[in-house]
Amino acid sequence: MTASVDVAGQQFIGGRRRRGTSAEELVVVNPSNGERLAEDVHASPADVDEAVAAARAAFRSWSRTTPARRSELLHALAAELQGMSAELAALESAQGGKPIKLAAGFDVPGTIDNVSFFAGAARNLDGKASAEYSGQHTSSIRREPIGVIGSISPWNYPFQMAGWKILPAVAAGNTIVLKPSELTPITSVLFAEAAQRVGIPDGVINVVTGHGSTVGSALVAHADVDMVSFTGSTAVGRQVAATAAGAIKRVHLELGGKAPFLVFDDADLEAAARGAVAGSLINAGQDCTAATRAYVQRRHYDAFVERVAELMAGVVVGAVDDPATDLGSLISTAHRDRVAAMVDRARDAGAEVVTGGAPGTGELARGAYYQPTLLVGAAQDSEIVRDEVFGPVLVALPFDGDDEGLALANDTRYGLAASAWTGSVFRAQRAAAEIQAGCVWINDHIPIISEMPHGGYKASGSAKDMSTYSLEEYTQLKHVMSASAPEPHKDWHDLVVTVAGDGPPR
C-alpha cells in the first residue's frame, strides 16, 4: 500500500478532526519500509483540556440516552466499519508493520465483532433483583455511567485496542478521551470519525495523539476525568495508578505478560509445536499474551525443540502488504535493537540460539525486522525468561514432574495468560485451576472471543476488557432503598429515639 500524507490531523475533538497545537512534529511511519503515512503536530495539554471539556459537555445527554438508542448506534457503527474493512486493514498493517493477512483476518474483523457485541450488551446491564430485603423497604440496584473516561492505548493492536477502550465505555453511557500511541494513531481517529458519521454525538468519542509523558500525563491527572483506563507496560501502569490514586479515580489497568506454554508428555506434539510457533510469533511477538516460555516435559523436549525450529525456519518474513507474508516488522528500529540486545545478552549468559537470533537482512534490513528466534539452555532466573521481550522470541526449557512444570509456569510476577497442552482431562483441569493467569488455554494458545473477558492477575493488572465483565467496570452501582409503606414510624427508629404518641409530630 502506498499511502498519501494525511494533513487533516491525527486529533479528533468535539466531533472535528484537527491538528495538534504543540510545537512538536508528529510523523507516522510504516516501520517495515520507512514510508511516511501521516504528518501532524502532537497534541498539547491544552488540546487535552479541550477534549475533556467536549466529553464533559456530551456526557449529560449521552448518559441519558436510552440503552436501546445506544445499541442502535453501535449496530450502525459495526456496519459502517464493515464497509471500511479493507481500508482499515491496509492502514492497520502499514502503521504497525504487521502482515496484511493478520490485520485483515484478525484485527479488523475481531474489532467489528466487538462493536456488535457491545451493541447488544448495552441493553443488558445485570444487577441483583429488586426485593423487600429489609421487610419495610424495596431495594433496587442502578448501574450508572461513571462520567468522562481517560483512556491510553498501546501501539501493538491500535484499532483493536481503540475498540476495547471505547466500546464498553460508550455502551454504558460514558464519554471518552482516547490517547492512542503516537506511533499508530491513524485507525483510532478513523474509528472516531466513523462513530460520528453514524450519529454518535459530538464529544462522546475524542482522540488526542501525543507523547505519554505530556498528553498521557495530562489526561490521567485531569481534574474532570472520572476514570482512567490504561493498557501498556507494568512500569507505566504503576505511574498511572499512582497519579489516579491521588484523586481517588477509578483505574482500569491491563498490563504486561510473560505467558508460559506448558507441554505435558501426553500432549499431541505436532499440535503443540505448531501452537508454539503461532503463539510466539503472532504480531511479531508484540502481544502481551504471546507464548514466551515453553516448558516441555523431558520426554518430548528434544523433539519439540527440533520441530519448532523446523517450523520457524519456514516462516515467511517479508513485505507486510504481501498476503503470503507470515511475519512483519517490529514497531520501530529502536524496539528491534532492544529485542536484539536481549537475545544477545541471553546468548552471552549461556543460552543457545537454535534458530534466528538476528535482525532481518537484505531488503528486510530497510525495516525493523527480526528473525523468528528459538532459544534453549537459558536459566530460569535469567532476563530472557523473566522479562518481557515483546518480539518473535521463544525460550524452551525442560521439566520433569507435573508439580515442577506448574511451579515453573507460575514462577513469574506476571499473570495474564498461559496455555497447557495435554491429552488428559485431569491434567487439563489441574492446570486450569492452578496456573495463576487471567486466561488459561487448553491445547491452544492466543484465541480471544468478544463474549469472554481478557485481563490478568498479579503484575498484569486486574481489569477486564471485552465481555459484559468489562462493561460492568465502566459503570458504578447505586443502591436505591424506598420505604414500602407511608407510615412515619419505622422499627429501627426505636433504636435511636422514642417518640411519644401515635400521631405525627407537631
Side-chain angles (χ1 to χ4, degrees):
M1 170 189 168
T2 300
S4 59
V5 171
D6 186 344
V7 296
Q10 295 303 311
Q11 325 293 331
F12 191 81
I13 299 173
R16 181 170 64 92
R17 181 193 274 253
R18 41 165 280 190
R19 294 173 67 82
T21 62
S22 77
E24 185 177 359
E25 182 184 29
L26 169 66
V27 180
V28 183
V29 176
N30 182 334
S32 72
N33 58 21
E35 175 191 7
R36 285 190 170 209
L37 301 173
E39 294 179 354
D40 189 14
V41 175
H42 280 263
S44 68
D47 295 322
V48 174
D49 290 341
E50 187 177 341
V52 172
R56 177 58 63 194
F59 175 71
R60 181 176 177 82
S61 174
W62 183 248
S63 64
R64 297 181 179 186
T65 301
T66 65
R69 178 58 177 158
R70 293 200 297 265
S71 175
E72 178 185 2
L73 290 169
L74 288 173
H75 277 303
L77 176 59
E80 179 75 7
L81 295 174
Q82 184 63 50
M84 301 168 57
S85 57
E87 175 191 6
L88 289 166
L91 288 167
E92 191 77 345
S93 169
Q95 69 176 349
K98 65 177 64 188
I100 185 62
K101 70 176 183 179
L102 180 65
F106 177 70
D107 299 59
V108 173
T111 304
I112 294 171
D113 184 71
N114 259 240
V115 181
S116 296
F117 172 81
F118 280 107
R123 303 182 70 167
N124 290 279
L125 292 177
D126 291 332
K128 194 176 183 71
S130 296
E132 291 65 48
Y133 294 101
S134 75
Q136 293 184 310
H137 309 82
T138 299
S139 287
S140 61
I141 291 293
R142 292 180 58 86
R143 191 177 283 279
E144 299 179 343
I146 294 168
V148 175
I149 313 300
S151 290
I152 300 175
S153 60
W155 47 257
N156 56 337
Y157 292 101
F159 186 60
Q160 194 169 74
M161 294 296 101
W164 285 16
K165 298 299 183 190
I166 292 169
L167 293 168
V170 302
N174 302 284
T175 56
I176 188 169
V177 179
L178 172 71
K179 192 208 86 68
S181 169
E182 66 277 12
L183 300 175
T184 55
I186 297 173
T187 51
S188 297
V189 175
L190 291 177
F191 195 112
E193 281 190 313
Q196 184 199 40
R197 283 197 300 273
V198 302
I200 292 178
D202 294 354
V204 172
I205 301 172
N206 306 274
V207 179
V208 288
T209 302
H211 292 302
S213 58
T214 53
V215 176
S217 295
L219 184 60
V220 171
H222 202 288
D224 217 16
V225 167
D226 301 296
M227 171 180 167
V228 175
S229 176
F230 171 80
T231 296
S233 72
T234 298
V236 177
R238 288 193 185 97
Q239 298 173 19
V240 169
T243 300
I248 320 296
K249 294 180 183 180
R250 178 86 66 93
V251 180
H252 181 283
L253 300 176
E254 197 274 285
L255 306 175
K258 190 69 179 175
F261 188 98
L262 188 60
V263 183
F264 292 100
D265 60 9
D266 61 351
D268 182 323
L269 182 60
E270 181 66 14
R274 290 180 177 275
V277 173
S280 63
L281 300 185
I282 185 171
N283 203 32
Q286 298 167 127
D287 186 310
C288 49
T289 63
T292 58
R293 300 177 291 138
Y295 296 106
V296 186
Q297 204 148 14
R298 201 169 297 276
R299 186 165 71 90
H300 271 343
Y301 180 73
D302 290 340
F304 176 87
V305 169
E306 180 180 358
R307 183 58 176 146
V308 167
E310 181 180 33
L311 290 169
M312 279 190 172
V315 168
V316 177
V317 185
V320 297
D321 59 356
D322 185 343
T325 292
D326 298 320
L327 188 77
S329 76
L330 298 178
I331 190 61
S332 67
T333 54
H335 184 57
R336 178 203 61 197
D337 293 346
R338 174 185 172 276
V339 170
M342 288 188 74
V343 172
D344 289 345
R345 288 195 295 272
R347 185 190 286 115
D348 292 343
E352 175 190 350
V353 175
V354 180
T355 188
T361 58
E363 279 295 307
L364 299 181
R366 295 174 52 225
Y369 287 90
Y370 196 80
Q371 298 174 7
T373 298
L374 175 64
L375 297 171
V376 297
Q380 175 64 18
D381 61 354
S382 63
E383 176 193 47
I384 202 73
V385 174
R386 305 203 71 79
D387 295 341
E388 276 196 289
V389 181
F390 230 56
V393 179
L394 177 66
V395 182
L397 303 96
F399 71 91
D400 292 306
D402 291 15
D403 291 349
E404 181 189 9
L406 290 164
L408 289 169
N410 285 330
D411 184 21
T412 175
R413 62 193 174 116
Y414 297 108
L416 185 56
S419 64
W421 298 73
T422 176
S424 165
V425 66
F426 304 108
R427 270 177 161 166
Q429 288 176 333
R430 182 184 178 192
E434 294 189 17
I435 292 177
Q436 298 160 3
C439 178
V440 178
W441 293 288
I442 304 298
N443 294 326
D444 206 347
H445 193 107
I446 222 73
I448 55 176
I449 193 72
S450 295
E451 290 83 357
M452 289 293 159
H454 173 92
Y457 290 10
K458 301 191 289 189
S460 293
S462 58
K464 301 301 178 187
D465 291 314
M466 301 195 297
S467 79
T468 55
Y469 297 102
S470 172
L471 187 69
E472 291 173 0
E473 295 199 22
Y474 288 88
T475 66
Q476 51 193 350
L477 294 179
K478 178 184 287 182
H479 172 211
V480 179
M481 198 170 190
S482 305
S484 303
E487 290 85 358
H489 177 263
K490 306 293 186 297
D491 290 345
W492 74 269
H493 293 178
D494 295 336
L495 301 174
V496 181
V497 62
T498 301
V499 179
D502 296 326
R506 293 183 179 180

